[in-house]
């Protein structure tokens, strides 16, 4: 008589994909909370508050940190952005030109100024230009030097962004404009470039955020008290008071501008994705 027992159903303890995902997320949240608690327990908050959060010292920074430092930072950024945008457009058009020397010059410019640190560009503008052209001063004094330094750096990146935007415009737009009697130059200015700029608004706005932070390199040009930007302003007062509260306040002023701009960039990118 066969006494063998037929095998019953096999019970597995494997988790489903959704369960594994939930377990993974729970572990990640637990690690994150554990790290925060560890940092909170180990940090010396009293010393941090004494060094970085002196309310009386912070209140003494106003209104000059706004009327002088933040104002100069915005002026430096806007002037550098405008100069870089104009020069970047010229470089982009040279990059797309059918004339080979124009393409070579544009390519060399882009590779050089994208490869060099922005600090070296500022040193070049502040030291090399006066030596190369004796008796010649950059218009606008420090503001002109900053616009030139920031613009030279920004133009190399903007040129590639603008070139990509122009190439993203359908070729049929140029062909339609030419069929209506437009010259190539007029079609480019009136039809192609406006459409390209609508495409590249998000990356250009992001470049504005980067320039706002790069304006801190102005301190290497040697500025007067009335020409100081946020970083220079914060460092000077931190040295005078032997306290880092001015640096923290300067950092908050940077965030006051960069965070809304970053939000604008995300909204523009989302709108562009939706339009596509």
């Amino acid at each position: 008589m066969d006494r063998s027992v037929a095998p019953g159903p096999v019970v597995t303890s494997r988790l489903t994909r959704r369960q594994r995902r939930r377990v993974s997320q729970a572990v990640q949240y637990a690690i994150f909370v554990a790290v925060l608690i560890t940092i909170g327990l180990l940090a010396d908050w009293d010393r941090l508050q004494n060094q970085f959060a002196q309310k009386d010292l912070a209140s003494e920074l106003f209104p000059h940190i706004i009327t002088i430092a933040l104002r100069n930072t915005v002026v430096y950024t806007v002037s550098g952005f405008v100069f870089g945008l104009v020069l970047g457009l010229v470089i982009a058009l040279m990059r797309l030109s059918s004339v080979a020397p124009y393409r070579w010059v544009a390519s060399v410019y882009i590779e050089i100024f994208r490869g060099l640190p922005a600090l070296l560009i500022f040193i070049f503008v502040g030291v090399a230009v006066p030596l190369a052209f004796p008796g010649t001063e950059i218009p606008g004094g420090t503001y002109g030097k900053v616009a030139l330094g920031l613009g030279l750096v920004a133009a190399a990146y903007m040129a590639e962004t603008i070139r990509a935007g122009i190439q993203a415009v359908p070729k049929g737009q140029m062909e339609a404009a030419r069929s209506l009697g437009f010259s190539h130059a007029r079609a480019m200015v009136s039809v192609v470039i406006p459409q390209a700029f609508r495409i590249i608004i998000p990356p250009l706005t992001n470049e504005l955020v980067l320039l706002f932070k790069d304006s801190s390199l102005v301190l290497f040009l040697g500025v007067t008290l009335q020409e100081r930007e946020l970083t220079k302003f914060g460092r000077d007062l931190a040295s005078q008071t032997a306290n880092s509260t001015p640096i923290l306040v300067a950092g908050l002023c940077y965030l006051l501008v960069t965070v809304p701009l970053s939000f604008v960039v995300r909204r523009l990118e989302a709108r562009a994705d939706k339009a596509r």
Side-chain angles (χ1 to χ4, degrees), residues 60-83:
E60 294 176 3
L61 302 178
F62 295 90
H64 296 96
I65 195 171
I66 302 296
T67 58
I68 296 178
L70 182 58
R71 177 183 63 84
N72 285 334
T73 302
V74 172
V75 171
Y76 294 151
T77 302
V78 173
S79 59
F81 181 81
V82 172
F83 179 77

Side-chain angles (χ1 to χ4, degrees), residues 121-136:
I121 305 301
F122 271 85
I123 294 175
F124 172 80
V125 170
V127 178
V129 172
L131 291 176
F133 304 97
T136 301

Side-chain angles (χ1 to χ4, degrees), residues 29-44:
Y29 279 118
I31 294 174
F32 179 74
V33 172
V35 171
L36 290 181
I37 293 175
T38 302
I39 294 175
L41 293 176
L42 296 179
D44 191 337

Side-chain angles (χ1 to χ4, degrees), residues 34-272:
V35 171
L36 290 181
I37 293 175
T38 302
I39 294 175
L41 293 176
L42 296 179
D44 191 337
W45 296 104
D46 291 335
R47 293 185 61 184
L48 288 174
Q49 181 179 2
N50 182 62
Q51 185 65 25
F52 288 95
Q54 290 291 333
K55 295 182 180 179
D56 295 338
L57 181 57
S59 62
E60 294 176 3
L61 302 178
F62 295 90
H64 296 96
I65 195 171
I66 302 296
T67 58
I68 296 178
L70 182 58
R71 177 183 63 84
N72 285 334
T73 302
V74 172
V75 171
Y76 294 151
T77 302
V78 173
S79 59
F81 181 81
V82 172
F83 179 77
L85 184 61
V86 174
L87 181 59
L89 177 59
V90 174
I91 297 298
L93 294 176
M94 292 174 62
R95 189 86 161 77
L96 296 172
S97 174
S98 58
V99 181
Y102 288 170
R103 295 198 304 271
W104 299 339
V105 171
S107 298
V108 170
Y109 177 90
I110 291 171
E111 294 301 326
I112 289 177
F113 283 90
R114 284 201 309 179
L116 290 176
L119 173 59
L120 294 183
I121 305 301
F122 271 85
I123 294 175
F124 172 80
V125 170
V127 178
V129 172
L131 291 176
F133 304 97
T136 301
E137 294 186 1
I138 299 175
T142 301
Y143 293 95
K145 293 179 182 178
V146 174
L148 179 60
L150 288 176
L152 289 174
V153 176
Y157 294 93
M158 289 185 184
E160 287 294 271
T161 301
I162 295 172
R163 178 184 63 83
I166 292 175
Q167 292 179 328
V169 177
K171 294 182 179 180
Q173 297 293 320
M174 172 64 76
E175 296 172 354
R178 295 301 301 273
S179 67
L180 293 175
F182 283 52
S183 65
H184 184 276
R186 184 182 175 188
M188 182 67 72
V189 173
S190 302
V191 177
V192 176
I193 291 179
Q195 294 186 57
F197 270 89
R198 284 197 292 269
I199 296 173
I200 63 176
I201 283 178
L204 286 183
T205 309
N206 191 52
E207 183 64 32
L208 180 63
V209 175
L210 296 177
L211 280 182
F212 188 78
K213 294 183 292 184
D214 285 342
S215 64
S216 61
L217 297 174
V218 172
L219 60 91
F220 292 98
L221 293 177
V223 295
T224 65
L225 293 178
Q226 295 300 317
E227 296 172 341
R228 291 179 297 178
E229 40 70 50
L230 284 170
T231 299
K232 177 67 173 173
F233 187 91
R235 286 187 58 182
D236 288 348
L237 291 182
S239 299
Q240 294 174 12
T241 60
N243 191 277
S244 299
T245 299
I247 295 179
L248 177 63
V249 177
L252 294 176
C253 289
Y254 276 108
L255 294 177
L256 185 65
V257 176
T258 58
V259 170
L261 280 177
S262 298
F263 176 76
V264 171
V265 171
R266 290 193 296 270
R267 291 295 300 271
L268 291 174
E269 290 176 345
R271 180 177 296 180

